[in-house]
Amino acid sequence: MGVRLMVVDDHRLLAEALASALKLRGHRVLAATAPCSGAAELVIGRAPEVCLLGTAAPAQSGAFDPVVRIKRERPQVAVVVLGPVPSPRGIAAAFAAGASGYVRHDERIEGVERAMMKARAGDAAVAPQLLQGAFAELLNPAAQPDDEAARLLQMLTPREAEVLVRVAEGEDTRLIAAGMCIAPSTARTHVQRVLMKLGVGSRLEAAALAARTGLLDRAHTACPPALPEVPGARTGRGAGELGGG
């Protein structure tokens, strides 16, 4: 029997993609919405069985405030958090707020579906490997987690970082070119370089990778308003020029 659910993520493209995949698997999606900050009221009003709540920063203060409100107003709604590889603090914060589960952003759709079903049944939905990783970090606090977002951002020029942000926001080549004051052919080249450097085959894959690793938020921070490109000149636009060409 399908689950009646809502999908909430700060990145609308990802929310809509996940919602479409779950619809194809027989679930009833009441809404796919963004941003998370305004989601609680909508979830409370529609009262789904399960809410999938995406976050790029589970350890950030206030990240799970929507969960607290949803559980206070609609305790029967099971909230499953979708996020990056969490720290012990991130997992603890999610469950302390009232979440029923935690699933990595890069989990296969079957894994997301299993978590939904478990959460609806009243069980805790968290993969054993996530708990093992959390305990390992607690036992070895000196070990620093790999900052994948920083590593990926170093591979991109500031222009490419801005292109990635625009791709994630659903802009096509024409809009990217207009927004950055560059030729469509140049915009197309930037997009292809971004895909190549991230090791993905499509714009949707690039957006998903950037969201789940936190790269998209880093890229937003590193991208002030664009200036027109000047032939033969470099345009410095971030906190430091990371990467070349």
Side-chain angles (χ1 to χ4, degrees), residues 6-142:
M6 290 180 60
V7 183
V8 177
D9 197 292
D10 281 333
H11 307 297
R12 185 177 298 276
L13 184 64
L14 300 184
E16 292 177 349
L18 180 56
S20 296
L22 291 170
K23 283 180 182 178
L24 291 174
R25 299 179 74 85
H27 300 287
R28 182 185 174 194
V29 180
L30 303 181
T33 186
C36 293
S37 57
E41 186 172 345
L42 188 59
V43 173
I44 291 166
R46 298 203 179 186
E49 294 176 298
V50 175
C51 171
L52 297 178
L53 180 74
T55 178
Q60 181 177 321
S61 177
F64 300 117
D65 287 352
V67 181
V68 174
R69 186 179 172 200
I70 291 168
K71 297 304 292 185
R72 182 175 65 243
E73 302 288 337
R74 294 282 187 181
Q76 73 275 21
V77 176
V79 180
V80 176
V81 174
L82 304 177
V85 178
S87 66
R89 181 180 299 177
I91 289 183
F95 281 93
S100 299
Y102 192 107
V103 179
R104 284 180 52 165
H105 262 141
D106 58 354
E107 178 63 76
R108 297 174 63 88
I109 191 66
E110 294 85 358
V112 176
E113 193 172 37
R114 283 194 299 271
M116 287 164 38
M117 303 298 285
K118 290 186 69 174
R120 184 177 67 171
D123 298 328
V126 58
Q129 58 267 35
L130 285 185
L131 289 178
Q132 291 168 3
F135 285 129
E137 186 177 335
L138 285 172
L139 293 172
N140 185 21

Side-chain angles (χ1 to χ4, degrees), residues 213-227:
T213 59
L215 171 60
L216 197 51
D217 294 316
R218 297 279 187 93
H220 266 294
T221 303
C223 292
L227 297 174

